[in-house]
Amino acid sequence: MRAEGFELYPAVDILGGRCVRLVRGSYETPTVYDEDPVAAAMRLVEAGARRLHVVDLDAARGGGSANIRVVQEICRTVPVPVQVGGGVRTVETASAVLSAGASRVVVGTAFWSDPTMSSRLVEAGVPFVVALDVRGSDVVVEGWTEGTGISITEAVGRVRAACAVVVTSVERDGTMEGPDMETICRVLGSCEVPVIASGGVSSLDDLTALATLEVSGRRLAGVVIGKALYEGRLRLEEALAAVSETRP
């Protein structure tokens, strides 16, 4: 029996038109896993992925939609929902990403810097997910390069209109050192919307721990997995089977 509502989101990160992974958000030493992100996305779906998490890293650092054509081709090609983020600084960009085929739009920097962004996205009919990227206890933005001074406690009170929150511990992302369970528990225990964990997953044990995690009667909605899949630490088929065997 699958943990109720718990989904795996294989990640496809795009930088310079290629499928890459970063470590702790550093753009200095990206690892290229595929020259063709569309092909990488399709392989994940063929392996059983029921949804994807796509990030335009070029846009995340500078805003806009640098890889919108690649995003559009991924959404057109794969037969599963695709949530897309990176560089969504305006409602217009969010709408463009949605028009490109995204099922949900991930918003980070603009959400935390513009108090009106949430209501304007709702008014525009854009289903959105908030990127809650955390370094220590501080929410970070601009491709994880700048702090905001917003604490986790303050942050979770702002996301009530979102479809979900993706919480990423920057210090764990791309390291395969295991999830930051302390941060995840803090968010899960106080957030009113579904929470998706991201960062550090490297093993089936990590997935089981996340799928069975419960704080104040709440469970995670899912997990984003990236480097562990590309490095062969996890096979997607095995990961899906492990989750399906986990009982809530």
Side-chain angles (χ1 to χ4, degrees), residues 89 107-115 130-156 158-159 168 170:
R89 306 286 200 268
V107 185
T109 298
F111 182 89
W112 301 114
S113 62
D114 181 355
V130 174
L132 179 52
D133 303 322
V134 180
R135 181 181 285 112
S137 60
D138 186 26
V139 176
V140 293
V141 295
E142 298 290 349
W144 301 353
T145 62
E146 297 183 12
T148 62
I150 300 171
S151 68
I152 293 174
T153 302
E154 181 183 353
V156 295
R158 297 189 183 186
V159 299
T168 303
V170 173

PDB file of all heavy atoms in Angstrom, residues 89 107-115 130-156 158-159 168 170:
ATOM      1  N   ARG A  89       9.501  35.427 -11.842  1.00  0.00           N
ATOM      2  CA  ARG A  89       9.496  36.651 -11.042  1.00  0.00           C
ATOM      3  C   ARG A  89       8.221  37.463 -11.217  1.00  0.00           C
ATOM      4  O   ARG A  89       7.971  38.405 -10.454  1.00  0.00           O
ATOM      5  CB  ARG A  89      10.688  37.531 -11.412  1.00  0.00           C
ATOM      6  CG  ARG A  89      12.050  36.863 -11.345  1.00  0.00           C
ATOM      7  CD  ARG A  89      12.527  36.658  -9.922  1.00  0.00           C
ATOM      8  NE  ARG A  89      13.957  36.459  -9.868  1.00  0.00           N
ATOM      9  CZ  ARG A  89      14.560  35.270  -9.908  1.00  0.00           C
ATOM     10  NH1 ARG A  89      13.826  34.169  -9.989  1.00  0.00           N
ATOM     11  NH2 ARG A  89      15.874  35.180  -9.867  1.00  0.00           N
ATOM     12  N   VAL A 107       7.238  29.014  -7.619  1.00  0.00           N
ATOM     13  CA  VAL A 107       7.619  30.414  -7.442  1.00  0.00           C
ATOM     14  C   VAL A 107       8.424  30.552  -6.149  1.00  0.00           C
ATOM     15  O   VAL A 107       8.018  30.070  -5.096  1.00  0.00           O
ATOM     16  CB  VAL A 107       6.372  31.320  -7.369  1.00  0.00           C
ATOM     17  CG1 VAL A 107       6.784  32.785  -7.296  1.00  0.00           C
ATOM     18  CG2 VAL A 107       5.465  31.093  -8.572  1.00  0.00           C
ATOM     19  N   GLY A 108       9.567  31.224  -6.247  1.00  0.00           N
ATOM     20  CA  GLY A 108      10.399  31.413  -5.070  1.00  0.00           C
ATOM     21  C   GLY A 108      10.680  32.870  -4.790  1.00  0.00           C
ATOM     22  O   GLY A 108       9.999  33.518  -3.994  1.00  0.00           O
ATOM     23  N   THR A 109      11.681  33.417  -5.461  1.00  0.00           N
ATOM     24  CA  THR A 109      12.154  34.773  -5.196  1.00  0.00           C
ATOM     25  C   THR A 109      11.030  35.800  -5.164  1.00  0.00           C
ATOM     26  O   THR A 109      10.911  36.589  -4.214  1.00  0.00           O
ATOM     27  CB  THR A 109      13.195  35.184  -6.254  1.00  0.00           C
ATOM     28  OG1 THR A 109      14.318  34.293  -6.172  1.00  0.00           O
ATOM     29  CG2 THR A 109      13.666  36.614  -6.030  1.00  0.00           C
ATOM     30  N   ALA A 110      10.202  35.820  -6.205  1.00  0.00           N
ATOM     31  CA  ALA A 110       9.135  36.830  -6.290  1.00  0.00           C
ATOM     32  C   ALA A 110       8.108  36.663  -5.179  1.00  0.00           C
ATOM     33  O   ALA A 110       7.559  37.648  -4.681  1.00  0.00           O
ATOM     34  CB  ALA A 110       8.451  36.765  -7.652  1.00  0.00           C
ATOM     35  N   PHE A 111       7.862  35.420  -4.800  1.00  0.00           N
ATOM     36  CA  PHE A 111       6.886  35.183  -3.743  1.00  0.00           C
ATOM     37  C   PHE A 111       7.342  35.813  -2.441  1.00  0.00           C
ATOM     38  O   PHE A 111       6.544  36.423  -1.715  1.00  0.00           O
ATOM     39  CB  PHE A 111       6.661  33.678  -3.553  1.00  0.00           C
ATOM     40  CG  PHE A 111       5.629  33.355  -2.515  1.00  0.00           C
ATOM     41  CD1 PHE A 111       4.293  33.255  -2.864  1.00  0.00           C
ATOM     42  CD2 PHE A 111       5.985  33.171  -1.189  1.00  0.00           C
ATOM     43  CE1 PHE A 111       3.331  32.987  -1.894  1.00  0.00           C
ATOM     44  CE2 PHE A 111       5.036  32.891  -0.220  1.00  0.00           C
ATOM     45  CZ  PHE A 111       3.698  32.793  -0.578  1.00  0.00           C
ATOM     46  N   TRP A 112       8.631  35.681  -2.140  1.00  0.00           N
ATOM     47  CA  TRP A 112       9.138  36.175  -0.859  1.00  0.00           C
ATOM     48  C   TRP A 112       9.416  37.665  -0.879  1.00  0.00           C
ATOM     49  O   TRP A 112       9.419  38.317   0.173  1.00  0.00           O
ATOM     50  CB  TRP A 112      10.400  35.401  -0.475  1.00  0.00           C
ATOM     51  CG  TRP A 112      10.141  33.935  -0.361  1.00  0.00           C
ATOM     52  CD1 TRP A 112      10.641  32.937  -1.141  1.00  0.00           C
ATOM     53  CD2 TRP A 112       9.271  33.296   0.586  1.00  0.00           C
ATOM     54  NE1 TRP A 112      10.146  31.721  -0.757  1.00  0.00           N
ATOM     55  CE2 TRP A 112       9.295  31.908   0.306  1.00  0.00           C
ATOM     56  CE3 TRP A 112       8.465  33.756   1.630  1.00  0.00           C
ATOM     57  CZ2 TRP A 112       8.551  30.985   1.035  1.00  0.00           C
ATOM     58  CZ3 TRP A 112       7.719  32.837   2.364  1.00  0.00           C
ATOM     59  CH2 TRP A 112       7.775  31.474   2.064  1.00  0.00           C
ATOM     60  N   SER A 113       9.638  38.250  -2.064  1.00  0.00           N
ATOM     61  CA  SER A 113       9.951  39.679  -2.134  1.00  0.00           C
ATOM     62  C   SER A 113       8.738  40.549  -2.412  1.00  0.00           C
ATOM     63  O   SER A 113       8.766  41.753  -2.141  1.00  0.00           O
ATOM     64  CB  SER A 113      11.008  39.927  -3.219  1.00  0.00           C
ATOM     65  OG  SER A 113      10.520  39.546  -4.501  1.00  0.00           O
ATOM     66  N   ASP A 114       7.668  39.969  -2.954  1.00  0.00           N
ATOM     67  CA  ASP A 114       6.483  40.733  -3.325  1.00  0.00           C
ATOM     68  C   ASP A 114       5.267  40.200  -2.570  1.00  0.00           C
ATOM     69  O   ASP A 114       4.742  39.142  -2.901  1.00  0.00           O
ATOM     70  CB  ASP A 114       6.254  40.626  -4.833  1.00  0.00           C
ATOM     71  CG  ASP A 114       5.047  41.424  -5.311  1.00  0.00           C
ATOM     72  OD1 ASP A 114       4.323  41.998  -4.470  1.00  0.00           O
ATOM     73  OD2 ASP A 114       4.826  41.471  -6.536  1.00  0.00           O
ATOM     74  N   PRO A 115       4.788  40.922  -1.572  1.00  0.00           N
ATOM     75  CA  PRO A 115       3.649  40.460  -0.768  1.00  0.00           C
ATOM     76  C   PRO A 115       2.369  40.259  -1.571  1.00  0.00           C
ATOM     77  O   PRO A 115       1.455  39.575  -1.116  1.00  0.00           O
ATOM     78  CB  PRO A 115       3.475  41.578   0.272  1.00  0.00           C
ATOM     79  CG  PRO A 115       4.786  42.280   0.313  1.00  0.00           C
ATOM     80  CD  PRO A 115       5.326  42.203  -1.078  1.00  0.00           C
ATOM     81  N   VAL A 130       5.147  26.949  -3.825  1.00  0.00           N
ATOM     82  CA  VAL A 130       6.154  27.866  -3.284  1.00  0.00           C
ATOM     83  C   VAL A 130       7.456  27.114  -3.012  1.00  0.00           C
ATOM     84  O   VAL A 130       7.456  26.056  -2.382  1.00  0.00           O
ATOM     85  CB  VAL A 130       5.659  28.527  -1.989  1.00  0.00           C
ATOM     86  CG1 VAL A 130       6.772  29.376  -1.360  1.00  0.00           C
ATOM     87  CG2 VAL A 130       4.441  29.401  -2.268  1.00  0.00           C
ATOM     88  N   ALA A 131       8.557  27.683  -3.510  1.00  0.00           N
ATOM     89  CA  ALA A 131       9.885  27.149  -3.207  1.00  0.00           C
ATOM     90  C   ALA A 131      10.360  27.760  -1.898  1.00  0.00           C
ATOM     91  O   ALA A 131      10.646  28.957  -1.833  1.00  0.00           O
ATOM     92  CB  ALA A 131      10.854  27.475  -4.328  1.00  0.00           C
ATOM     93  N   LEU A 132      10.418  26.942  -0.869  1.00  0.00           N
ATOM     94  CA  LEU A 132      10.904  27.378   0.447  1.00  0.00           C
ATOM     95  C   LEU A 132      12.332  26.851   0.582  1.00  0.00           C
ATOM     96  O   LEU A 132      12.582  25.751   1.062  1.00  0.00           O
ATOM     97  CB  LEU A 132      10.002  26.828   1.549  1.00  0.00           C
ATOM     98  CG  LEU A 132      10.359  27.144   2.999  1.00  0.00           C
ATOM     99  CD1 LEU A 132      10.556  28.635   3.207  1.00  0.00           C
ATOM    100  CD2 LEU A 132       9.303  26.610   3.938  1.00  0.00           C
ATOM    101  N   ASP A 133      13.271  27.644   0.091  1.00  0.00           N
ATOM    102  CA  ASP A 133      14.682  27.265   0.076  1.00  0.00           C
ATOM    103  C   ASP A 133      15.357  27.848   1.307  1.00  0.00           C
ATOM    104  O   ASP A 133      15.305  29.069   1.530  1.00  0.00           O
ATOM    105  CB  ASP A 133      15.350  27.774  -1.200  1.00  0.00           C
ATOM    106  CG  ASP A 133      14.656  27.264  -2.458  1.00  0.00           C
ATOM    107  OD1 ASP A 133      14.222  26.099  -2.457  1.00  0.00           O
ATOM    108  OD2 ASP A 133      14.550  28.026  -3.435  1.00  0.00           O
ATOM    109  N   VAL A 134      15.979  26.988   2.084  1.00  0.00           N
ATOM    110  CA  VAL A 134      16.451  27.387   3.405  1.00  0.00           C
ATOM    111  C   VAL A 134      17.943  27.115   3.561  1.00  0.00           C
ATOM    112  O   VAL A 134      18.435  26.029   3.226  1.00  0.00           O
ATOM    113  CB  VAL A 134      15.676  26.615   4.498  1.00  0.00           C
ATOM    114  CG1 VAL A 134      16.165  27.025   5.875  1.00  0.00           C
ATOM    115  CG2 VAL A 134      14.180  26.845   4.369  1.00  0.00           C
ATOM    116  N   ARG A 135      18.652  28.113   4.040  1.00  0.00           N
ATOM    117  CA  ARG A 135      20.043  27.933   4.466  1.00  0.00           C
ATOM    118  C   ARG A 135      20.100  28.281   5.944  1.00  0.00           C
ATOM    119  O   ARG A 135      19.853  29.421   6.329  1.00  0.00           O
ATOM    120  CB  ARG A 135      20.995  28.819   3.668  1.00  0.00           C
ATOM    121  CG  ARG A 135      22.467  28.618   4.089  1.00  0.00           C
ATOM    122  CD  ARG A 135      23.428  29.508   3.315  1.00  0.00           C
ATOM    123  NE  ARG A 135      23.631  29.016   1.959  1.00  0.00           N
ATOM    124  CZ  ARG A 135      23.220  29.629   0.867  1.00  0.00           C
ATOM    125  NH1 ARG A 135      22.557  30.778   0.967  1.00  0.00           N
ATOM    126  NH2 ARG A 135      23.463  29.131  -0.324  1.00  0.00           N
ATOM    127  N   GLY A 136      20.370  27.281   6.766  1.00  0.00           N
ATOM    128  CA  GLY A 136      20.265  27.490   8.211  1.00  0.00           C
ATOM    129  C   GLY A 136      18.807  27.671   8.558  1.00  0.00           C
ATOM    130  O   GLY A 136      17.991  26.792   8.352  1.00  0.00           O
ATOM    131  N   SER A 137      18.465  28.835   9.087  1.00  0.00           N
ATOM    132  CA  SER A 137      17.065  29.131   9.393  1.00  0.00           C
ATOM    133  C   SER A 137      16.541  30.279   8.545  1.00  0.00           C
ATOM    134  O   SER A 137      15.466  30.817   8.811  1.00  0.00           O
ATOM    135  CB  SER A 137      16.912  29.483  10.877  1.00  0.00           C
ATOM    136  OG  SER A 137      17.707  30.617  11.200  1.00  0.00           O
ATOM    137  N   ASP A 138      17.293  30.643   7.492  1.00  0.00           N
ATOM    138  CA  ASP A 138      16.953  31.792   6.656  1.00  0.00           C
ATOM    139  C   ASP A 138      16.449  31.335   5.289  1.00  0.00           C
ATOM    140  O   ASP A 138      17.044  30.452   4.657  1.00  0.00           O
ATOM    141  CB  ASP A 138      18.200  32.664   6.482  1.00  0.00           C
ATOM    142  CG  ASP A 138      17.921  33.966   5.742  1.00  0.00           C
ATOM    143  OD1 ASP A 138      16.772  34.445   5.779  1.00  0.00           O
ATOM    144  OD2 ASP A 138      18.871  34.503   5.144  1.00  0.00           O
ATOM    145  N   VAL A 139      15.362  31.926   4.819  1.00  0.00           N
ATOM    146  CA  VAL A 139      14.881  31.674   3.461  1.00  0.00           C
ATOM    147  C   VAL A 139      15.792  32.410   2.489  1.00  0.00           C
ATOM    148  O   VAL A 139      16.081  33.599   2.669  1.00  0.00           O
ATOM    149  CB  VAL A 139      13.425  32.170   3.293  1.00  0.00           C
ATOM    150  CG1 VAL A 139      12.964  32.002   1.845  1.00  0.00           C
ATOM    151  CG2 VAL A 139      12.501  31.413   4.234  1.00  0.00           C
ATOM    152  N   VAL A 140      16.265  31.697   1.439  1.00  0.00           N
ATOM    153  CA  VAL A 140      17.175  32.296   0.463  1.00  0.00           C
ATOM    154  C   VAL A 140      16.508  32.373  -0.904  1.00  0.00           C
ATOM    155  O   VAL A 140      15.622  31.575  -1.232  1.00  0.00           O
ATOM    156  CB  VAL A 140      18.505  31.522   0.373  1.00  0.00           C
ATOM    157  CG1 VAL A 140      19.278  31.655   1.676  1.00  0.00           C
ATOM    158  CG2 VAL A 140      18.272  30.049   0.050  1.00  0.00           C
ATOM    159  N   VAL A 141      16.961  33.344  -1.720  1.00  0.00           N
ATOM    160  CA  VAL A 141      16.335  33.618  -3.015  1.00  0.00           C
ATOM    161  C   VAL A 141      17.424  33.881  -4.063  1.00  0.00           C
ATOM    162  O   VAL A 141      18.609  33.732  -3.786  1.00  0.00           O
ATOM    163  CB  VAL A 141      15.382  34.828  -2.916  1.00  0.00           C
ATOM    164  CG1 VAL A 141      14.208  34.516  -1.993  1.00  0.00           C
ATOM    165  CG2 VAL A 141      16.123  36.076  -2.414  1.00  0.00           C
ATOM    166  N   GLU A 142      16.965  34.303  -5.269  1.00  0.00           N
ATOM    167  CA  GLU A 142      17.873  34.632  -6.372  1.00  0.00           C
ATOM    168  C   GLU A 142      18.822  33.469  -6.665  1.00  0.00           C
ATOM    169  O   GLU A 142      20.043  33.627  -6.711  1.00  0.00           O
ATOM    170  CB  GLU A 142      18.678  35.906  -6.060  1.00  0.00           C
ATOM    171  CG  GLU A 142      17.838  37.161  -5.871  1.00  0.00           C
ATOM    172  CD  GLU A 142      17.201  37.656  -7.168  1.00  0.00           C
ATOM    173  OE1 GLU A 142      17.580  37.156  -8.245  1.00  0.00           O
ATOM    174  OE2 GLU A 142      16.326  38.540  -7.080  1.00  0.00           O
ATOM    175  N   GLY A 143      18.231  32.289  -6.905  1.00  0.00           N
ATOM    176  CA  GLY A 143      19.074  31.123  -7.167  1.00  0.00           C
ATOM    177  C   GLY A 143      19.913  30.727  -5.977  1.00  0.00           C
ATOM    178  O   GLY A 143      21.034  30.225  -6.128  1.00  0.00           O
ATOM    179  N   TRP A 144      19.372  30.979  -4.776  1.00  0.00           N
ATOM    180  CA  TRP A 144      20.010  30.630  -3.506  1.00  0.00           C
ATOM    181  C   TRP A 144      21.230  31.475  -3.208  1.00  0.00           C
ATOM    182  O   TRP A 144      22.072  31.117  -2.372  1.00  0.00           O
ATOM    183  CB  TRP A 144      20.402  29.150  -3.458  1.00  0.00           C
ATOM    184  CG  TRP A 144      19.279  28.191  -3.626  1.00  0.00           C
ATOM    185  CD1 TRP A 144      17.945  28.484  -3.691  1.00  0.00           C
ATOM    186  CD2 TRP A 144      19.367  26.770  -3.759  1.00  0.00           C
ATOM    187  NE1 TRP A 144      17.205  27.348  -3.848  1.00  0.00           N
ATOM    188  CE2 TRP A 144      18.048  26.273  -3.915  1.00  0.00           C
ATOM    189  CE3 TRP A 144      20.434  25.877  -3.771  1.00  0.00           C
ATOM    190  CZ2 TRP A 144      17.776  24.923  -4.074  1.00  0.00           C
ATOM    191  CZ3 TRP A 144      20.167  24.526  -3.938  1.00  0.00           C
ATOM    192  CH2 TRP A 144      18.852  24.054  -4.078  1.00  0.00           C
ATOM    193  N   THR A 145      21.347  32.637  -3.848  1.00  0.00           N
ATOM    194  CA  THR A 145      22.531  33.473  -3.656  1.00  0.00           C
ATOM    195  C   THR A 145      22.342  34.570  -2.627  1.00  0.00           C
ATOM    196  O   THR A 145      23.321  35.174  -2.193  1.00  0.00           O
ATOM    197  CB  THR A 145      22.954  34.131  -4.986  1.00  0.00           C
ATOM    198  OG1 THR A 145      21.895  34.993  -5.452  1.00  0.00           O
ATOM    199  CG2 THR A 145      23.259  33.086  -6.043  1.00  0.00           C
ATOM    200  N   GLU A 146      21.093  34.850  -2.238  1.00  0.00           N
ATOM    201  CA  GLU A 146      20.839  35.949  -1.306  1.00  0.00           C
ATOM    202  C   GLU A 146      19.889  35.519  -0.197  1.00  0.00           C
ATOM    203  O   GLU A 146      18.913  34.807  -0.437  1.00  0.00           O
ATOM    204  CB  GLU A 146      20.228  37.151  -2.045  1.00  0.00           C
ATOM    205  CG  GLU A 146      21.131  37.772  -3.090  1.00  0.00           C
ATOM    206  CD  GLU A 146      20.513  38.992  -3.726  1.00  0.00           C
ATOM    207  OE1 GLU A 146      19.491  39.484  -3.183  1.00  0.00           O
ATOM    208  OE2 GLU A 146      21.035  39.450  -4.757  1.00  0.00           O
ATOM    209  N   GLY A 147      20.178  35.981   1.028  1.00  0.00           N
ATOM    210  CA  GLY A 147      19.282  35.746   2.151  1.00  0.00           C
ATOM    211  C   GLY A 147      18.153  36.759   2.168  1.00  0.00           C
ATOM    212  O   GLY A 147      18.240  37.814   1.533  1.00  0.00           O
ATOM    213  N   THR A 148      17.107  36.446   2.905  1.00  0.00           N
ATOM    214  CA  THR A 148      15.953  37.341   2.992  1.00  0.00           C
ATOM    215  C   THR A 148      15.710  37.862   4.396  1.00  0.00           C
ATOM    216  O   THR A 148      15.001  38.851   4.584  1.00  0.00           O
ATOM    217  CB  THR A 148      14.666  36.622   2.547  1.00  0.00           C
ATOM    218  OG1 THR A 148      14.422  35.522   3.432  1.00  0.00           O
ATOM    219  CG2 THR A 148      14.774  36.137   1.115  1.00  0.00           C
ATOM    220  N   GLY A 149      16.247  37.168   5.387  1.00  0.00           N
ATOM    221  CA  GLY A 149      15.933  37.513   6.764  1.00  0.00           C
ATOM    222  C   GLY A 149      14.597  36.960   7.223  1.00  0.00           C
ATOM    223  O   GLY A 149      14.171  37.215   8.347  1.00  0.00           O
ATOM    224  N   ILE A 150      13.945  36.192   6.346  1.00  0.00           N
ATOM    225  CA  ILE A 150      12.660  35.576   6.691  1.00  0.00           C
ATOM    226  C   ILE A 150      12.929  34.216   7.328  1.00  0.00           C
ATOM    227  O   ILE A 150      13.614  33.375   6.760  1.00  0.00           O
ATOM    228  CB  ILE A 150      11.778  35.392   5.438  1.00  0.00           C
ATOM    229  CG1 ILE A 150      11.499  36.743   4.784  1.00  0.00           C
ATOM    230  CG2 ILE A 150      10.470  34.699   5.793  1.00  0.00           C
ATOM    231  CD1 ILE A 150      10.811  36.632   3.428  1.00  0.00           C
ATOM    232  N   SER A 151      12.383  34.004   8.505  1.00  0.00           N
ATOM    233  CA  SER A 151      12.581  32.736   9.209  1.00  0.00           C
ATOM    234  C   SER A 151      11.595  31.688   8.709  1.00  0.00           C
ATOM    235  O   SER A 151      10.589  32.016   8.058  1.00  0.00           O
ATOM    236  CB  SER A 151      12.381  32.924  10.709  1.00  0.00           C
ATOM    237  OG  SER A 151      11.011  33.216  10.984  1.00  0.00           O
ATOM    238  N   ILE A 152      11.872  30.437   9.005  1.00  0.00           N
ATOM    239  CA  ILE A 152      10.962  29.353   8.627  1.00  0.00           C
ATOM    240  C   ILE A 152       9.598  29.569   9.258  1.00  0.00           C
ATOM    241  O   ILE A 152       8.558  29.389   8.612  1.00  0.00           O
ATOM    242  CB  ILE A 152      11.555  27.996   9.043  1.00  0.00           C
ATOM    243  CG1 ILE A 152      12.815  27.693   8.228  1.00  0.00           C
ATOM    244  CG2 ILE A 152      10.523  26.888   8.856  1.00  0.00           C
ATOM    245  CD1 ILE A 152      13.542  26.445   8.661  1.00  0.00           C
ATOM    246  N   THR A 153       9.581  29.963  10.517  1.00  0.00           N
ATOM    247  CA  THR A 153       8.311  30.184  11.211  1.00  0.00           C
ATOM    248  C   THR A 153       7.476  31.242  10.514  1.00  0.00           C
ATOM    249  O   THR A 153       6.264  31.080  10.313  1.00  0.00           O
ATOM    250  CB  THR A 153       8.566  30.599  12.667  1.00  0.00           C
ATOM    251  OG1 THR A 153       9.322  29.580  13.328  1.00  0.00           O
ATOM    252  CG2 THR A 153       7.250  30.810  13.403  1.00  0.00           C
ATOM    253  N   GLU A 154       8.116  32.346  10.136  1.00  0.00           N
ATOM    254  CA  GLU A 154       7.403  33.408   9.422  1.00  0.00           C
ATOM    255  C   GLU A 154       6.980  32.933   8.037  1.00  0.00           C
ATOM    256  O   GLU A 154       5.876  33.226   7.567  1.00  0.00           O
ATOM    257  CB  GLU A 154       8.292  34.638   9.292  1.00  0.00           C
ATOM    258  CG  GLU A 154       7.611  35.801   8.570  1.00  0.00           C
ATOM    259  CD  GLU A 154       8.544  36.990   8.377  1.00  0.00           C
ATOM    260  OE1 GLU A 154       9.671  36.960   8.924  1.00  0.00           O
ATOM    261  OE2 GLU A 154       8.135  37.938   7.676  1.00  0.00           O
ATOM    262  N   ALA A 155       7.841  32.174   7.377  1.00  0.00           N
ATOM    263  CA  ALA A 155       7.577  31.756   5.999  1.00  0.00           C
ATOM    264  C   ALA A 155       6.337  30.886   5.878  1.00  0.00           C
ATOM    265  O   ALA A 155       5.518  31.074   4.971  1.00  0.00           O
ATOM    266  CB  ALA A 155       8.794  31.011   5.458  1.00  0.00           C
ATOM    267  N   VAL A 156       6.179  29.926   6.779  1.00  0.00           N
ATOM    268  CA  VAL A 156       5.057  28.989   6.632  1.00  0.00           C
ATOM    269  C   VAL A 156       3.713  29.678   6.813  1.00  0.00           C
ATOM    270  O   VAL A 156       2.685  29.169   6.357  1.00  0.00           O
ATOM    271  CB  VAL A 156       5.189  27.799   7.613  1.00  0.00           C
ATOM    272  CG1 VAL A 156       6.415  26.963   7.279  1.00  0.00           C
ATOM    273  CG2 VAL A 156       5.220  28.267   9.053  1.00  0.00           C
ATOM    274  N   ARG A 158       2.906  32.364   5.338  1.00  0.00           N
ATOM    275  CA  ARG A 158       2.623  33.148   4.133  1.00  0.00           C
ATOM    276  C   ARG A 158       2.119  32.312   2.955  1.00  0.00           C
ATOM    277  O   ARG A 158       1.783  32.863   1.917  1.00  0.00           O
ATOM    278  CB  ARG A 158       3.893  33.874   3.675  1.00  0.00           C
ATOM    279  CG  ARG A 158       4.443  34.891   4.649  1.00  0.00           C
ATOM    280  CD  ARG A 158       5.554  35.673   3.967  1.00  0.00           C
ATOM    281  NE  ARG A 158       6.192  36.642   4.846  1.00  0.00           N
ATOM    282  CZ  ARG A 158       7.105  37.522   4.443  1.00  0.00           C
ATOM    283  NH1 ARG A 158       7.469  37.543   3.157  1.00  0.00           N
ATOM    284  NH2 ARG A 158       7.653  38.365   5.294  1.00  0.00           N
ATOM    285  N   VAL A 159       2.079  30.991   3.084  1.00  0.00           N
ATOM    286  CA  VAL A 159       1.908  30.149   1.893  1.00  0.00           C
ATOM    287  C   VAL A 159       0.523  29.518   1.777  1.00  0.00           C
ATOM    288  O   VAL A 159       0.338  28.563   1.023  1.00  0.00           O
ATOM    289  CB  VAL A 159       2.977  29.028   1.886  1.00  0.00           C
ATOM    290  CG1 VAL A 159       4.371  29.631   1.850  1.00  0.00           C
ATOM    291  CG2 VAL A 159       2.831  28.119   3.108  1.00  0.00           C
ATOM    292  N   THR A 168      13.549  22.956   0.606  1.00  0.00           N
ATOM    293  CA  THR A 168      14.883  22.487   0.254  1.00  0.00           C
ATOM    294  C   THR A 168      15.910  23.057   1.210  1.00  0.00           C
ATOM    295  O   THR A 168      16.003  24.277   1.383  1.00  0.00           O
ATOM    296  CB  THR A 168      15.258  22.930  -1.178  1.00  0.00           C
ATOM    297  OG1 THR A 168      14.290  22.452  -2.094  1.00  0.00           O
ATOM    298  CG2 THR A 168      16.631  22.378  -1.567  1.00  0.00           C
ATOM    299  N   VAL A 170      19.416  23.984   1.449  1.00  0.00           N
ATOM    300  CA  VAL A 170      20.466  24.254   0.473  1.00  0.00           C
ATOM    301  C   VAL A 170      21.740  23.496   0.806  1.00  0.00           C
ATOM    302  O   VAL A 170      22.433  22.987  -0.088  1.00  0.00           O
ATOM    303  CB  VAL A 170      20.738  25.776   0.393  1.00  0.00           C
ATOM    304  CG1 VAL A 170      21.938  26.071  -0.484  1.00  0.00           C
ATOM    305  CG2 VAL A 170      19.503  26.501  -0.127  1.00  0.00           C
TER     306      VAL A 170
END
